Amino acid sequence: MTGDKSDGSAFEGLKGLSAAASSFTVGLKYDDISAEALRIGRRCILDGLAVSLAGSEQPLIDVLDRHITRIGGAADARVIGDAGRRVPVHLAALWNGSAGHAMDWDDTQLAEGPGRPYGLLMHPTMPPLAAALAVSDLIAVETGRPVSGKDFMVAFQAGFEVGCKVAEAIDPDHYMLGFHTSGTIGTFAAAATAAKLLGLNVSQTAQALGIAASMASGIRAGFGTMTKPLHVGRAAENGVTAAMLVREGFTGSEEGFDGRWGYLAVAGRGGDPERINDRFGRPLTIESPGVSIKPYPSGVLTHPSMDAMRFLMEENALTPDDIEEVTLFAGWNVLAPIRYEIAKNELEGKFSFAFLLSAIILAGRAGKTEFTDAFVGSDACQTMQRRVSARFDQNIEDMGWDRIRSRVVVKTRDGRTIERWADENYRGSPHNPLSDAEVEGKFRDCALGILDEAATAKLIEAVWKVETLSDATVLYDLLSWKPSGAAVS
């Protein structure tokens, strides 16, 4: 049973970030979303499904599979990769979100506020997308009526916007002092999406966000382990759980973001909600300042440097045997999240410039094939990593954190020194976006060895027309290597 559409008298007169986020979520309609935001939304959904499919075969999903099997429970919703499997709705969200962040290949929100490091807010697609898939399947089971593609898109956009605006509102110290925003703020994105699909009213949606505020977690100590993707899985799981609890009558604060004991004050040393309260949907963050769709499965702050290495190799016709030494120079916004001097496995490799640049040197690319324990641990990769180092550069630091800046210096075995600056308008950013064809190509890379070309083509076609689908959860079948036989309509 969904919630009453009325606001509820208890909510009347309340102001602040909680009220703004809840009112926006409940009030958002398809016609409110611009054509450009819808276009980018389809790209983000296709990209999110791509990285989720690739992540569904990562080792951490095998562990989650055993954990979820042991728990058991209601057959509410399917999971990405296996349309024949049904699990409790919150655990489906956990699976989907963890798979989507397993390779650290999901998109990145751009910051626009002062003092916020460029590209360092949150991964905005996976928490609401994981929640939307799980809750849509639950609704179909409970009511016998599928969630349309149009309603799916609206709920996704609502959660995407709530997460991004809250990330802008909270003090930047939230991330800089160690919280992982995709795990913390992502919880609110998932809660808003779930609340929208469940039809909660404004008061109920505020309470769902208030409950989510007591569940939002994730610290950066987990980077380089299975715990980092678990943050996004738990964000989706906890957001769904918060909305489901409210639907059943559980109560929570309607001002979970606000005041002395609200989330912004407790987890972020405050923030600037007044700058955000009147800006939900004005414009949608997905449109401006936009979102980066990643060309590489690692943190977006590493991508300009990886491209610089790639272009340097190509422009100078260098081979791995030509490389004597590589030094990357950057400021702390780029270097601080990079934890591993030498990566021993794929998870550490995402946070090691030695590996990231070595992959480009050795393979000329860094995709699904290179981000494996076998490639990282190979003799060639381990040897090359020891020729690569990263150094802090005060001059680059003084340029500010409004862009991702770095330069790569290569010394060759024949005595040359070659330097290249990273392009501030890096590939995948809103300033230099991947083309639709490149996003499709990324999906094909992610689907390699999982889906055949015919199934891949069907999925891509379905996402480009997602709002016309009579049942959005057909996406589960198209993503599955164990299809249950549903057809696109």
Side-chain angles (χ1 to χ4, degrees):
M1 180 181 296
T2 57
D4 184 345
K5 298 295 183 181
S6 64
D7 288 358
S9 60
F11 197 83
E12 293 177 4
L14 290 179
K15 299 184 183 300
L17 186 59
S18 298
S22 303
S23 297
F24 165 79
T25 298
V26 173
L28 184 67
K29 299 178 180 62
Y30 182 79
D31 290 343
D32 298 330
I33 306 171
S34 71
E36 179 65 3
L38 290 171
R39 184 188 72 83
I40 299 171
R42 295 181 206 108
R43 286 164 53 89
C44 290
I45 290 172
L46 180 59
D47 186 65
L49 296 178
V51 298
S52 300
L53 184 64
S56 72
E57 61 176 1
Q58 290 292 303
L60 71 94
I61 295 298
D62 292 334
V63 179
L64 277 180
D65 189 7
R66 296 194 296 271
H67 173 68
I68 291 170
T69 298
R70 186 185 64 80
I71 293 173
D76 292 330
R78 290 167 288 175
V79 296
I80 289 173
D82 186 354
R85 174 93 180 275
R86 285 192 174 272
V87 302
V89 62
H90 65 293
L91 297 180
L94 171 66
W95 174 300
N96 295 341
S98 298
H101 197 52
M103 296 194 71
D104 212 332
W105 214 348
D106 44 330
D107 56 21
T108 304
Q109 173 192 358
L110 264 68
E112 61 178 355
R116 286 157 173 80
Y118 183 91
L120 260 185
L121 284 187
M122 65 174 290
H123 297 276
T125 284
M126 280 318 306
L129 180 59
L133 286 166
V135 175
S136 294
D137 228 20
L138 170 74
I139 290 172
V141 169
E142 289 187 335
T143 67
R145 297 188 301 273
V147 172
S148 71
K150 184 175 289 187
D151 289 343
F152 184 93
M153 174 64 84
V154 173
F156 168 73
Q157 293 269 359
F160 192 110
E161 175 73 353
V162 167
C164 288
K165 287 296 196 286
V166 173
E168 281 287 356
I170 201 166
D171 191 290
D173 273 353
H174 180 74
Y175 181 88
M176 301 310 293
L177 294 178
F179 280 110
H180 179 204
T181 44
S182 298
T184 56
I185 310 302
T187 307
F188 305 121
T193 289
K196 184 69 172 177
L197 285 169
L198 293 171
L200 303 189
N201 65 31
V202 177
S203 174
Q204 291 170 320
T205 300
Q207 291 184 64
L209 293 172
I211 294 169
S214 287
M215 305 169 82
S217 61
I219 59 173
R220 288 166 60 193
F223 285 18
T225 74
M226 291 181 180
T227 305
K228 185 174 190 283
L230 181 67
H231 292 166
V232 175
R234 287 286 284 172
E237 176 188 7
N238 288 337
V240 168
T241 297
M244 292 291 292
L245 284 171
V246 171
R247 189 185 72 156
E248 298 301 324
F250 208 89
T251 63
S253 171
E254 294 180 345
E255 299 177 284
F257 292 138
D258 307 300
R260 180 182 179 187
W261 305 118
Y263 192 81
L264 266 64
V266 173
R269 295 190 176 186
D272 191 10
E274 291 76 15
R275 189 175 61 84
I276 297 298
N277 289 350
D278 296 329
R279 294 184 55 237
F280 282 90
R282 302 178 183 175
L284 291 168
T285 300
I286 200 170
E287 182 175 354
S288 179
V291 60
S292 295
I293 292 182
K294 292 182 174 183
Y296 303 118
S298 58
V300 70
L301 293 174
T302 67
H303 294 179
S305 304
M306 295 168 73
D307 269 350
M309 187 76 244
R310 175 186 158 204
F311 298 145
L312 188 151
M313 295 285 292
E314 292 173 353
E315 291 162 358
N316 295 277
L318 298 179
T319 70
D321 290 339
D322 294 321
I323 304 298
E324 179 67 31
E325 179 182 295
V326 177
T327 307
L328 170 74
F329 295 91
W332 285 124
N333 64 319
V334 172
L335 297 180
I338 307 305
R339 301 184 59 198
Y340 299 96
E341 185 176 345
I342 301 292
K344 299 185 293 296
N345 57 52
E346 179 264 341
L347 287 169
E348 292 181 359
K350 298 178 185 301
F351 301 93
S352 168
F353 268 122
F355 165 70
L356 298 171
L357 299 187
S358 291
I360 298 295
I361 294 167
L362 293 170
R365 48 168 279 141
K368 181 177 174 180
T369 302
E370 290 70 40
F371 278 82
T372 62
D373 287 350
F375 186 91
V376 176
S378 67
D379 289 343
C381 187
Q382 289 292 309
T383 298
M384 185 60 70
Q385 285 192 67
R386 285 167 173 77
R387 298 179 189 169
V388 180
S389 62
R391 295 183 187 175
F392 173 74
D393 188 308
Q394 187 64 54
N395 290 330
I396 296 177
E397 179 81 359
D398 292 342
M399 295 178 186
W401 291 5
D402 60 316
R403 283 289 189 271
I404 307 171
R405 300 181 175 94
S406 65
R407 62 187 175 95
V408 175
V409 178
V410 172
K411 293 183 178 179
T412 64
R413 288 185 169 175
D414 62 7
R416 290 175 290 163
T417 298
I418 308 169
E419 177 177 314
R420 199 184 202 284
W421 277 83
D423 188 346
E424 295 178 8
N425 295 326
Y426 60 94
R427 286 192 313 128
S429 74
H431 315 290
N432 184 17
L434 299 183
S435 67
D436 287 351
E438 287 175 314
V439 176
E440 291 183 5
K442 178 178 173 181
F443 187 94
R444 289 187 169 88
D445 188 15
C446 288
L448 187 65
I450 306 175
L451 302 182
D452 61 26
E453 182 54 38
T456 296
K458 286 181 180 179
L459 186 284
I460 292 172
E461 180 186 6
V463 175
W464 287 142
K465 62 175 187 179
V466 64
E467 296 111 294
T468 71
L469 298 177
S470 60
D471 179 1
T473 63
V474 73
L475 298 173
Y476 271 127
D477 297 280
L478 297 175
L479 283 167
S480 180
W481 42 268
K482 290 183 179 179
S484 61
V488 179
S489 61

